[in-house]
Amino acid sequence: MDKRESIRILEDAKSVLTQYIERHGLRKTQERYAILEAAYNFNGSFSIEELSDALKPTCQVTYPTLYRTLGLFVTLGLVIRHTHHAVQCYEKCFGVKTFFQMVCVHCGKVIPFKSVVLMEALRDTKYPRFRPNNTTVCVYGSCTQCNTRMSREQKKLDRQRVLQEKKSQLLKEERLKRQVESRRKRREEARQQNEQNEEGKDD
Ligand SMILES: [Zn+2]
């Protein structure tokens, strides 16, 4: 998307917000527009912390205000919200009709992808008594970094398990050896005792 197109989309998004504010007789605070602008400056998804950081140089907005305002933007169709486990992120969506995203369920990373097949399937889908505005297709899974990390962790666990098994096998063998030895000793003692008894009788 070129810069002019981005500016046009932001202006359209702002006018959606203005219409809402006027319809509900709300005050036209600059805060909401600043948040909208900051949200639209992100290419791709962002967390509430990232948005707060981006706003810091220009205006201080509290987290409750950010959550409330982003909630309003979601209702107005200006941003979409992804929630994966505890990770919540947002993304501008006005002027973008279809989102194809791969979402990592472990770290919450959102990676956009393209699919002509899905695009055509969505276009040909009938929506009974419903007019869709925009569509989000989320494919949940695990990203390369998380896969690498998890397989490393799994290998470590496997190694630890093998070591633990070897150790307990050794302990078992030691115990057995000790048992055999003490049985042998007892038998030897009994034999000697027996011999002494026999000798006693002979005397
Ligand atoms: Zn991941």
Side-chain angles (χ1 to χ4, degrees):
M1 198 186 291
D2 66 22
K3 206 167 166 76
R4 252 211 320 250
E5 177 75 349
S6 305
I7 293 169
R8 189 189 59 75
I9 287 172
L10 175 61
E11 288 311 313
D12 288 349
K14 276 183 182 170
S15 60
V16 169
L17 178 60
T18 305
Q19 277 170 29
Y20 174 86
I21 288 170
E22 285 172 355
R23 218 173 32 241
H24 290 80
L26 304 172
R27 272 193 314 126
K28 256 192 207 170
T29 59
Q30 281 314 300
E31 216 175 43
R32 289 197 194 94
Y33 291 96
I35 297 170
L36 185 66
E37 214 166 310
Y40 270 65
N41 274 339
F42 280 98
N43 279 320
S45 62
F46 56 88
S47 67
I48 203 126
E49 288 81 10
E50 288 169 329
L51 183 64
S52 172
D53 286 347
L55 278 161
K56 249 170 211 160
T58 47
C59 72
Q60 291 282 338
V61 188
T62 62
Y63 275 82
T65 305
L66 277 183
Y67 276 112
R68 215 174 30 246
T69 310
L70 283 172
L72 170 67
F73 293 172
V74 172
T75 312
L76 295 176
L78 301 177
V79 300
I80 52 166
R81 177 168 39 213
H82 325 284
T83 311
H84 318 296
H85 295 282
V87 186
Q88 217 173 48
C89 39
Y90 298 84
E91 189 170 350
K92 63 183 168 191
C93 66
F94 194 74
V96 184
K97 291 290 177 206
T98 310
F99 288 90
F100 293 128
Q101 299 169 323
M102 294 176 282
V103 181
C104 179
V105 296
H106 304 287
C107 66
K109 194 187 289 163
V110 180
I111 311 154
F113 72 98
K114 288 191 171 76
S115 169
V116 177
V117 178
L118 282 176
M119 206 67 175
E120 285 172 354
L122 284 169
R123 196 195 52 216
D124 297 340
T125 303
K126 298 268 178 290
Y127 304 94
R129 294 188 294 282
F130 190 80
R131 195 175 58 203
N133 287 339
N134 48 46
T135 313
T136 307
V137 178
C138 288
V139 181
Y140 295 92
S142 42
C143 72
T144 314
Q145 278 93 334
C146 287
N147 281 335
T148 312
R149 179 178 48 77
M150 284 188 297
S151 81
R152 220 173 21 228
E153 282 167 3
Q154 189 56 47
K155 271 185 195 145
K156 198 174 158 192
L157 280 176
D158 288 347
R159 270 200 306 275
Q160 279 171 351
R161 209 194 53 238
V162 169
L163 275 177
Q164 193 59 42
E165 277 172 9
K166 265 189 193 157
K167 209 169 148 189
S168 66
Q169 182 62 28
L170 274 175
L171 282 173
K172 212 167 136 187
E173 282 169 12
E174 294 258 316
R175 209 168 44 238
L176 262 172
K177 241 190 244 170
R178 275 202 307 275
Q179 279 173 358
V180 169
E181 182 60 19
S182 84
R183 241 179 269 150
R184 194 192 60 76
K185 255 189 188 157
R186 277 204 305 276
R187 269 203 307 273
E188 182 63 20
E189 277 163 11
R191 194 184 57 76
Q192 279 173 4
Q193 187 66 47
N194 212 20
E195 268 175 22
Q196 276 170 13
N197 290 348
E198 289 296 316
E199 276 167 24
K201 264 189 222 164
D202 293 346
D203 294 344

